[in-house]
Amino acid sequence: MRAAIISDIHSNLPALEAVLDDIDEIGADEIWCLGDIVGYGADPNDCTTLIRERTAHSLIGNHDLAVLGNIDATTFSAHAAFAVAWTKEVCSYETLEFLSGLGPSSERDGVGLFHASPRDPVWEYVLSFEQATECLEMQPEPVCMIGHSHVALHFTGPDVDGQVKGAQALAGTELDLSHGRWLINPGSVGQPRDGDPRAAWLEFDDDGWKSTHHRVKYDIDAASDAIIAAGLPAHLAERLHMGH
C-alpha cells in the first residue's frame, strides 16, 4: 500500500491543489494528513473540503484547535493570532464540524501519526537531536510521522552506539525504513519553513517500507494575493515566497 502524507496546509489552496495533482500523477492508495489544515492562509473552507474529500485519515493541529476555541490564541504570535480570529469569522459550519471530529494523534497500518511529536502531539517542534532521541525512545511504532515544524526532515536511531542520526530532507530524498526506528516530517504543504518555498509531501510505501520526499511548484503569487485581498497580515503573504 502506498500512502501520500501531507501536513500543515494552512488554508493555502493553490499549494494543496498542486500537491494533490502531484499525488494523483505519481499514484497513491491513500492520503494521510497530519493537521493544521487552516490558519495563516485565505482559503480555510475550500482546503478543509478537499481534505475531507480526499484523505483517508486526518489529524487536527494546534491552529485547527485554536480556530475551534480549544486553544487560547493569545499563546500564538500576533500574526498567527490575527489569522485565527479571521478564520473563526469565515469558517463554515461544515469546516468546524469536520475539524471538531479530529484528534492530534493516531495510528495507520502500523505507522504512528502525530501532528507535533509522539510525546506532545500538539505543541512540540522536533528539530534537535536531543528531542528526536527522546521521541524515538518512547514512540509506540518503529516508524512515526510528524508535522508542525514545517521542515522536511528525518531522524533514525539509536544505533548500536546509542547515536541518533538525522538531516533535513531535500526533494528526492529516499529512505529505507525497513530497519531501525524512524521519525519523519513530510514538510509543509502551505507554508514551508526550510528555505524551499515549494509545497512538500511524502510518499510512503509499506510494502518495501521506504519513503520519498517530494516538492511541488505552485502559484505562490495567487496564494499571497489571496492573503492580501482577505485583509490578513502582509507578512503571511511575503513569507510564502521565501520558504521560511
Side-chain angles (χ1 to χ4, degrees), residues 1-6 22-23 26-30 32 145 173-175 177 184 186 200-206 209-214:
M1 193 274 293
R2 286 201 302 169
I5 302 169
I6 60 177
D22 199 45
I23 291 170
I26 292 174
D29 299 303
E30 292 186 351
W32 305 341
M145 306 292 177
T173 296
E174 296 183 355
L175 303 173
L177 312 177
I184 305 171
W201 69 278
L202 183 76
E203 178 185 356
F204 168 68
D205 184 351
D206 73 353
W209 283 91
K210 58 186 179 181
S211 66
T212 304
H213 284 265
H214 296 275

Side-chain angles (χ1 to χ4, degrees), residues 11 37-38 43-49 52 64 67-68 87 90-102:
S11 301
I37 301 165
V38 303
D43 293 291
N45 293 315
D46 288 342
C47 286
T48 303
T49 296
R52 185 177 66 245
D64 306 322
V67 168
L68 291 174
T87 303
V90 302
C91 268
S92 67
Y93 171 81
E94 291 78 13
T95 292
L96 297 176
E97 183 180 42
F98 176 73
L99 294 177
S100 66
L102 306 178

Side-chain angles (χ1 to χ4, degrees), residues 37-215:
I37 301 165
V38 303
Y40 293 130
D43 293 291
N45 293 315
D46 288 342
C47 286
T48 303
T49 296
L50 280 174
I51 294 299
R52 185 177 66 245
E53 294 175 347
R54 294 297 308 275
T55 62
H57 203 65
S58 185
L59 304 181
I60 196 168
N62 57 305
H63 285 257
D64 306 322
L65 287 164
V67 168
L68 291 174
N70 296 336
I71 285 179
D72 185 355
T74 60
T75 61
F76 288 29
S77 69
H79 292 144
F82 187 101
V84 166
W86 179 89
T87 303
K88 282 184 178 181
E89 293 181 358
V90 302
C91 268
S92 67
Y93 171 81
E94 291 78 13
T95 292
L96 297 176
E97 183 180 42
F98 176 73
L99 294 177
S100 66
L102 306 178
S105 64
S106 187
E107 177 272 338
R108 190 79 172 178
D109 297 326
V111 178
L113 305 177
F114 303 89
H115 173 64
S117 84
R119 65 178 180 177
D120 185 345
V122 175
W123 283 114
E124 184 176 20
Y125 293 92
V126 183
L127 294 168
S128 72
F129 285 103
E130 291 78 13
Q131 291 173 300
T133 298
E134 295 177 6
C135 287
L136 285 161
E137 289 176 350
M138 71 167 294
Q139 67 187 44
E141 289 83 15
V143 175
C144 287
M145 306 292 177
I146 58 173
H148 192 50
S149 71
H150 299 209
V151 177
L153 48 73
H154 59 85
F155 295 99
T156 185
D159 58 21
V160 293
D161 297 320
Q163 299 298 309
V164 167
K165 298 179 180 179
Q168 184 173 326
L170 303 178
T173 296
E174 296 183 355
L175 303 173
D176 179 0
L177 312 177
S178 60
H179 302 285
R181 300 176 70 79
W182 291 85
L183 195 61
I184 305 171
N185 192 319
S188 172
V189 170
Q191 196 186 93
R193 294 178 185 168
D194 52 14
D196 185 342
R198 294 177 296 172
W201 69 278
L202 183 76
E203 178 185 356
F204 168 68
D205 184 351
D206 73 353
D207 183 25
W209 283 91
K210 58 186 179 181
S211 66
T212 304
H213 284 265
H214 296 275
R215 300 305 280 250

